[in-house]
Amino acid sequence: MTSRYRLALQIAAVLWVIWGLVHMFAGIMTISQDTGAAVAGIADAVDPTLLENDYHPAVGAVINQHGFNLLWIGAFTVIGGFFIWRQSVVWIFMTAIVGWVTDVGYFVFMDLGGFVHFVPGTVMTIISSAAVVISFWAYFTGMRGKDTLTAAT
């Protein structure tokens, strides 16, 4: 693999680590806050006073489940970033599936719904999309057909 493709994978790896750390932090914050504050933190373009309600405990459980998912998905992409740095094809695709598909849902329901500001949410979607495009470019133009499945071992 040329240094150009190696650099591309390193850039993608760094983007995934940034994305993962931000999502781990968001997951911890979502779980640790009361339901209204957690929802206001997620839907940051909505007036927080509109979200100050006495939510049923089931709503809090759903929000906490969402926070837990953010936490493990973020941790997964941090690990993926480590292995992408080491040129693992498996982790290029696994991280894209887990991280980027998560952001597709965010984009469709939160961004297009108008419930979030551009920073940090939409920026994180751009970061994950860039990581996918860069790592796929490196794979499809520089790595494909080589014995790279075991590069991380």
Side-chain angles (χ1 to χ4, degrees):
M1 172 184 317
T2 67
S3 61
R4 184 168 87 179
Y5 300 121
R6 195 172 303 113
L7 177 62
L9 289 179
Q10 290 171 343
I11 291 168
V14 168
L15 292 174
W16 277 125
V17 169
I18 291 168
W19 189 93
L21 292 173
V22 168
H23 283 77
M24 289 173 69
F25 176 74
I28 291 167
M29 293 302 296
T30 300
I31 293 168
S32 66
Q33 296 177 352
D34 66 55
T35 303
V39 172
I42 296 165
D44 61 356
V46 176
D47 179 3
T49 60
L50 297 174
L51 301 172
E52 293 175 358
N53 291 318
D54 188 22
Y55 293 97
H56 189 279
V59 175
V62 169
I63 296 301
N64 285 339
Q65 179 205 15
H66 174 68
F68 176 80
N69 286 339
L70 289 174
L71 181 60
W72 80 258
I73 289 166
F76 186 94
T77 61
V78 168
I79 294 166
F82 170 78
F83 286 108
I84 291 169
W85 185 281
R86 298 188 65 205
Q87 304 165 21
S88 170
V89 174
V90 171
W91 280 92
I92 289 171
F93 287 94
M94 293 295 292
T95 306
I97 291 167
V98 172
W100 188 75
V101 172
T102 296
D103 262 353
V104 168
Y106 178 88
F107 180 77
V108 168
F109 295 106
M110 300 302 290
D111 274 315
L112 295 181
F115 300 117
V116 295
H117 292 296
F118 184 75
V119 175
T122 307
V123 171
M124 290 293 107
T125 302
I126 292 168
I127 286 174
S128 70
S129 297
V132 169
V133 168
I134 292 166
S135 61
F136 280 16
W137 172 81
Y139 171 71
F140 287 108
T141 62
M143 298 173 67
R144 193 170 182 183
K146 295 179 177 61
D147 185 20
T148 53
L149 289 176
T150 59
T153 56

